[in-house]
PDB file of all heavy atoms in Angstrom:
ATOM      1  N   GLY E  90      14.514  -2.942  -1.039  1.00  0.00           N
ATOM      2  CA  GLY E  90      13.290  -3.378  -1.605  1.00  0.00           C
ATOM      3  C   GLY E  90      12.428  -3.943  -0.545  1.00  0.00           C
ATOM      4  O   GLY E  90      11.271  -4.269  -0.968  1.00  0.00           O
ATOM      5  N   THR E  91      12.760  -3.996   0.676  1.00  0.00           N
ATOM      6  CA  THR E  91      11.914  -4.632   1.569  1.00  0.00           C
ATOM      7  C   THR E  91      10.583  -3.823   2.038  1.00  0.00           C
ATOM      8  O   THR E  91      10.673  -2.707   2.223  1.00  0.00           O
ATOM      9  CB  THR E  91      12.598  -5.001   2.919  1.00  0.00           C
ATOM     10  OG1 THR E  91      13.851  -5.794   2.469  1.00  0.00           O
ATOM     11  CG2 THR E  91      11.966  -5.725   3.911  1.00  0.00           C
ATOM     12  N   CYS E  92       9.571  -4.559   2.136  1.00  0.00           N
ATOM     13  CA  CYS E  92       8.140  -3.842   2.094  1.00  0.00           C
ATOM     14  C   CYS E  92       7.760  -3.578   3.563  1.00  0.00           C
ATOM     15  O   CYS E  92       6.591  -3.308   3.883  1.00  0.00           O
ATOM     16  CB  CYS E  92       7.196  -4.845   1.446  1.00  0.00           C
ATOM     17  SG  CYS E  92       6.983  -6.515   1.982  1.00  0.00           S
ATOM     18  N   HIS E  93       8.559  -3.658   4.524  1.00  0.00           N
ATOM     19  CA  HIS E  93       8.245  -3.597   5.936  1.00  0.00           C
ATOM     20  C   HIS E  93       9.547  -3.238   6.819  1.00  0.00           C
ATOM     21  O   HIS E  93      10.576  -3.765   6.205  1.00  0.00           O
ATOM     22  CB  HIS E  93       7.579  -4.831   6.459  1.00  0.00           C
ATOM     23  CG  HIS E  93       8.408  -6.043   6.356  1.00  0.00           C
ATOM     24  ND1 HIS E  93       9.427  -6.396   7.311  1.00  0.00           N
ATOM     25  CD2 HIS E  93       8.585  -6.996   5.414  1.00  0.00           C
ATOM     26  CE1 HIS E  93      10.131  -7.474   6.925  1.00  0.00           C
ATOM     27  NE2 HIS E  93       9.608  -7.844   5.810  1.00  0.00           N
ATOM     28  N   LEU E  94       9.357  -2.758   7.941  1.00  0.00           N
ATOM     29  CA  LEU E  94      10.332  -2.757   8.845  1.00  0.00           C
ATOM     30  C   LEU E  94      10.555  -4.021   9.730  1.00  0.00           C
ATOM     31  O   LEU E  94       9.364  -4.656   9.885  1.00  0.00           O
ATOM     32  CB  LEU E  94      10.252  -1.595   9.815  1.00  0.00           C
ATOM     33  CG  LEU E  94      10.222  -0.162   9.230  1.00  0.00           C
ATOM     34  CD1 LEU E  94      10.035   0.878  10.336  1.00  0.00           C
ATOM     35  CD2 LEU E  94      11.600   0.181   8.543  1.00  0.00           C
ATOM     36  N   ASP E  95      11.619  -4.361  10.182  1.00  0.00           N
ATOM     37  CA  ASP E  95      11.751  -5.500  11.125  1.00  0.00           C
ATOM     38  C   ASP E  95      12.546  -5.215  12.393  1.00  0.00           C
ATOM     39  O   ASP E  95      13.092  -4.160  12.432  1.00  0.00           O
ATOM     40  CB  ASP E  95      12.289  -6.816  10.350  1.00  0.00           C
ATOM     41  CG  ASP E  95      13.766  -6.506   9.844  1.00  0.00           C
ATOM     42  OD1 ASP E  95      14.520  -5.806  10.441  1.00  0.00           O
ATOM     43  OD2 ASP E  95      14.150  -7.172   8.901  1.00  0.00           O
ATOM     44  N   ALA E  96      12.519  -6.166  13.286  1.00  0.00           N
ATOM     45  CA  ALA E  96      13.147  -5.768  14.628  1.00  0.00           C
ATOM     46  C   ALA E  96      14.643  -5.549  14.495  1.00  0.00           C
ATOM     47  O   ALA E  96      15.198  -4.710  15.343  1.00  0.00           O
ATOM     48  CB  ALA E  96      12.747  -6.887  15.556  1.00  0.00           C
ATOM     49  N   LYS E  97      15.210  -6.220  13.630  1.00  0.00           N
ATOM     50  CA  LYS E  97      16.794  -6.070  13.408  1.00  0.00           C
ATOM     51  C   LYS E  97      16.863  -4.639  12.937  1.00  0.00           C
ATOM     52  O   LYS E  97      17.964  -3.934  13.415  1.00  0.00           O
ATOM     53  CB  LYS E  97      17.139  -7.064  12.411  1.00  0.00           C
ATOM     54  CG  LYS E  97      18.550  -7.273  12.280  1.00  0.00           C
ATOM     55  CD  LYS E  97      18.939  -8.368  11.233  1.00  0.00           C
ATOM     56  CE  LYS E  97      20.455  -8.575  11.096  1.00  0.00           C
ATOM     57  NZ  LYS E  97      20.707  -9.615  10.076  1.00  0.00           N
ATOM     58  N   MET E  98      16.192  -4.090  12.012  1.00  0.00           N
ATOM     59  CA  MET E  98      16.507  -2.767  11.555  1.00  0.00           C
ATOM     60  C   MET E  98      16.278  -1.748  12.726  1.00  0.00           C
ATOM     61  O   MET E  98      16.995  -0.748  12.898  1.00  0.00           O
ATOM     62  CB  MET E  98      15.401  -2.409  10.458  1.00  0.00           C
ATOM     63  CG  MET E  98      15.514  -3.235   9.328  1.00  0.00           C
ATOM     64  SD  MET E  98      14.153  -2.747   8.132  1.00  0.00           S
ATOM     65  CE  MET E  98      14.254  -4.057   6.891  1.00  0.00           C
ATOM     66  N   ILE E  99      15.334  -1.998  13.582  1.00  0.00           N
ATOM     67  CA  ILE E  99      15.038  -1.060  14.766  1.00  0.00           C
ATOM     68  C   ILE E  99      16.264  -1.046  15.756  1.00  0.00           C
ATOM     69  O   ILE E  99      16.602  -0.140  16.192  1.00  0.00           O
ATOM     70  CB  ILE E  99      13.719  -1.410  15.498  1.00  0.00           C
ATOM     71  CG1 ILE E  99      12.507  -1.507  14.545  1.00  0.00           C
ATOM     72  CG2 ILE E  99      13.470  -0.545  16.651  1.00  0.00           C
ATOM     73  CD1 ILE E  99      12.189  -0.140  13.828  1.00  0.00           C
ATOM     74  N   THR E 100      16.586  -2.433  16.034  1.00  0.00           N
ATOM     75  CA  THR E 100      17.792  -2.642  16.962  1.00  0.00           C
ATOM     76  C   THR E 100      18.957  -1.930  16.511  1.00  0.00           C
ATOM     77  O   THR E 100      19.698  -1.035  17.179  1.00  0.00           O
ATOM     78  CB  THR E 100      18.083  -4.124  17.057  1.00  0.00           C
ATOM     79  OG1 THR E 100      16.844  -4.758  17.400  1.00  0.00           O
ATOM     80  CG2 THR E 100      19.183  -4.353  18.009  1.00  0.00           C
ATOM     81  N   LYS E 101      19.244  -2.041  15.152  1.00  0.00           N
ATOM     82  CA  LYS E 101      20.467  -1.375  14.572  1.00  0.00           C
ATOM     83  C   LYS E 101      20.332   0.213  14.621  1.00  0.00           C
ATOM     84  O   LYS E 101      21.402   0.769  15.063  1.00  0.00           O
ATOM     85  CB  LYS E 101      20.627  -1.863  13.119  1.00  0.00           C
ATOM     86  CG  LYS E 101      21.979  -1.475  12.480  1.00  0.00           C
ATOM     87  CD  LYS E 101      21.963  -1.857  11.035  1.00  0.00           C
ATOM     88  CE  LYS E 101      23.065  -0.973  10.289  1.00  0.00           C
ATOM     89  NZ  LYS E 101      22.687  -0.456   9.099  1.00  0.00           N
ATOM     90  N   HIS E 102      19.238   0.694  14.431  1.00  0.00           N
ATOM     91  CA  HIS E 102      19.022   2.227  14.333  1.00  0.00           C
ATOM     92  C   HIS E 102      18.979   2.809  15.747  1.00  0.00           C
ATOM     93  O   HIS E 102      19.107   3.935  15.846  1.00  0.00           O
ATOM     94  CB  HIS E 102      17.958   2.571  13.515  1.00  0.00           C
ATOM     95  CG  HIS E 102      18.328   2.402  11.985  1.00  0.00           C
ATOM     96  ND1 HIS E 102      18.199   1.269  11.356  1.00  0.00           N
ATOM     97  CD2 HIS E 102      18.754   3.369  11.026  1.00  0.00           C
ATOM     98  CE1 HIS E 102      18.641   1.416   9.972  1.00  0.00           C
ATOM     99  NE2 HIS E 102      18.915   2.789   9.912  1.00  0.00           N
ATOM    100  N   LEU E 103      18.816   1.834  16.747  1.00  0.00           N
ATOM    101  CA  LEU E 103      18.712   2.477  18.219  1.00  0.00           C
ATOM    102  C   LEU E 103      20.193   2.437  18.802  1.00  0.00           C
ATOM    103  O   LEU E 103      20.259   2.822  19.866  1.00  0.00           O
ATOM    104  CB  LEU E 103      17.700   1.685  19.103  1.00  0.00           C
ATOM    105  CG  LEU E 103      16.216   1.867  18.755  1.00  0.00           C
ATOM    106  CD1 LEU E 103      15.360   0.905  19.582  1.00  0.00           C
ATOM    107  CD2 LEU E 103      15.868   3.336  19.048  1.00  0.00           C
TER     108      LEU E 103
END
Side-chain angles (χ1 to χ4, degrees):
Chain E
T91 305
C92 55
H93 58 84
L94 296 178
D95 63 30
K97 196 174 174 183
M98 300 175 194
I99 304 299
T100 305
K101 188 177 162 234
H102 285 81
L103 286 176

